[in-house]
Amino acid sequence: MNKNGISRRNFLQKTAILGATSMLTPGLVSGLKANPASRMVTNDISIAQWSLVDEIRKGKWKTLDFPKVAREDFDVNGIEFVNTLFEVPTLHYLKTLKQNAKDYGISMVLIMVDDEGETCTPSKEERKQTVINHQKWIDIANYLGCHAIRTNCRGPENAPKDEALKWATETYNMMLEYAVPANVSVLIENHGRLSNDADWMEALMKEVNHLYFGSYPDWREPGPEFDNVNFLRKMLPYAGGNSYRNQPTEELTAQMIKMCKDAGYRGWYGIESSGREAIHQGRALLKKYL
């Protein structure tokens, strides 16, 4: 095992037990420390739906068209959904989406879940409701064949970190009780406040310490209040995906891709750089350096 705590064995360990997890209780798998799970041992490129949100909001295409757009316009193999961009996820709708993905040879990777409650809150009732609100998206992820949902974990402003760690730990333990039988991982993307704090996030990963729980590092651009390189380095041992963004220089992009490879990460790179030109650029850079 290397210094970041990841090894090829971690990935193969999870792959080997996937067929059995539906028969296991959450407690039986919670002690297995491994990377949560791209469920892959090779790298590939996906597109995050949010990168094209402006087109969707203008009515140029809908979620049902996403597999076609991904294949015909960008020739990538995976797509990552945003829950708020699903029109009406009825069974017929989901069946159609599943068939469209099959027709275009597209893997449905994960669902980014927004607006379904705070996972890090002092209110026990709110934590319970947040878990309930996420369950339908776990079910949909399972039906579509997505390996994970992506959650937010911001916490209240100026929240005491020790207390916040307890709140978030309780929430995610409850959520995993539902997610494990569905064979769906639960990931956290850094979207402000506590989730931007690499040390706090690392403490949360260690506290929950679950095979199906991990990080989804959003690369973003470096800034005075966010060191994206350091954040990525600390989150890679727990990464179940990567929210790829083009960096200010090609050299920095190449450095961050190399960091992932050197750490042993194998899985999806979901391009979230905004707009078609940026997506094409990201795809070219990933092809070059992977």
Side-chain angles (χ1 to χ4, degrees):
M1 185 175 289
N2 65 27
K3 64 181 179 180
N4 288 310
I6 289 183
S7 71
R8 177 179 172 82
R9 179 179 60 81
N10 293 143
F11 294 91
L12 296 180
Q13 179 186 20
K14 180 162 189 178
T15 301
I17 69 169
L18 287 181
T21 51
S22 61
M23 297 180 286
L24 298 178
T25 63
L28 291 177
V29 294
S30 62
L32 296 175
K33 183 173 181 179
N35 184 284
S38 51
R39 303 190 186 166
M40 299 171 67
V41 291
T42 58
N43 294 316
D44 210 341
I45 302 169
S46 53
I47 296 177
Q49 196 173 15
W50 193 256
S51 64
L52 293 166
V53 65
D54 290 342
E55 292 186 4
I56 299 171
R57 287 175 172 169
K58 290 175 182 177
K60 292 185 176 180
W61 54 275
K62 297 181 178 181
T63 295
L64 290 176
D65 304 314
F66 197 13
K68 181 175 187 282
V69 169
R71 177 59 67 202
E72 293 189 346
D73 296 356
F74 301 101
D75 194 24
V76 298
N77 294 325
I79 52 179
E80 304 185 4
F81 298 104
V82 179
N83 70 317
T84 56
L85 299 179
F86 279 71
E87 288 79 30
V88 184
T90 60
L91 180 58
H92 175 73
Y93 178 98
L94 296 174
K95 282 183 177 179
T96 303
L97 181 55
K98 199 171 185 177
Q99 186 61 51
N100 291 349
K102 181 179 179 181
D103 290 345
Y104 287 96
I106 294 292
S107 295
M108 294 179 283
V109 178
L110 58 79
I111 302 175
M112 301 178 177
V113 181
D114 296 321
D115 298 338
E116 291 289 12
E118 176 57 62
T119 60
C120 183
T121 171
S123 169
K124 191 175 187 68
E125 290 305 311
E126 185 178 351
R127 294 197 295 270
K128 289 180 179 178
Q129 188 60 50
T130 294
V131 172
I132 293 170
N133 294 344
H134 280 74
Q135 287 175 356
K136 60 181 174 290
W137 297 108
I138 292 170
D139 290 338
I140 291 171
N142 170 274
Y143 181 79
L144 294 177
C146 299
H147 79 80
I149 62 166
R150 185 277 284 144
T151 67
N152 297 302
C153 187
R154 298 181 179 92
E157 190 171 1
N158 300 318
K161 291 184 179 181
D162 289 348
E163 288 299 305
L165 184 63
K166 296 177 184 177
W167 305 333
T169 298
E170 181 182 283
T171 303
Y172 284 107
N173 279 331
M174 286 192 292
M175 199 177 295
L176 286 163
E177 288 182 4
Y178 194 86
V180 170
N183 201 24
V184 173
S185 294
V186 178
L187 309 178
I188 300 175
E189 187 171 0
N190 43 302
H191 276 167
R193 294 185 181 168
L194 288 169
S195 66
N196 278 5
D197 184 331
D199 293 331
W200 186 87
M201 283 283 288
E202 187 174 33
L204 178 60
M205 296 294 135
K206 291 178 178 178
E207 187 68 25
V208 176
N209 189 26
H210 200 293
L211 184 70
Y212 277 70
F213 181 62
S215 65
Y216 184 74
D218 184 341
W219 292 18
R220 294 165 46 192
E221 287 193 5
E225 298 181 359
F226 184 72
D227 182 346
N228 64 348
V229 173
N230 181 61
F231 186 91
L232 178 62
R233 180 178 293 110
K234 290 188 175 184
M235 287 297 100
L236 275 172
Y238 313 98
N242 271 286
S243 182
Y244 167 93
R245 292 182 188 264
N246 300 324
Q247 297 300 302
T249 65
E250 181 173 335
E251 289 75 18
L252 183 54
T253 299
Q255 176 189 342
M256 294 176 75
I257 295 171
K258 185 176 185 298
M259 284 171 57
C260 295
K261 293 169 66 178
D262 290 348
Y265 174 79
R266 301 292 183 271
W268 292 100
Y269 290 79
I271 301 174
E272 201 171 7
S273 296
S274 297
R276 289 179 173 254
E277 183 178 349
I279 293 172
H280 284 298
Q281 180 186 2
R283 179 184 180 277
L285 289 170
L286 284 165
K287 288 280 188 181
K288 180 177 180 179
Y289 291 107
L290 285 179

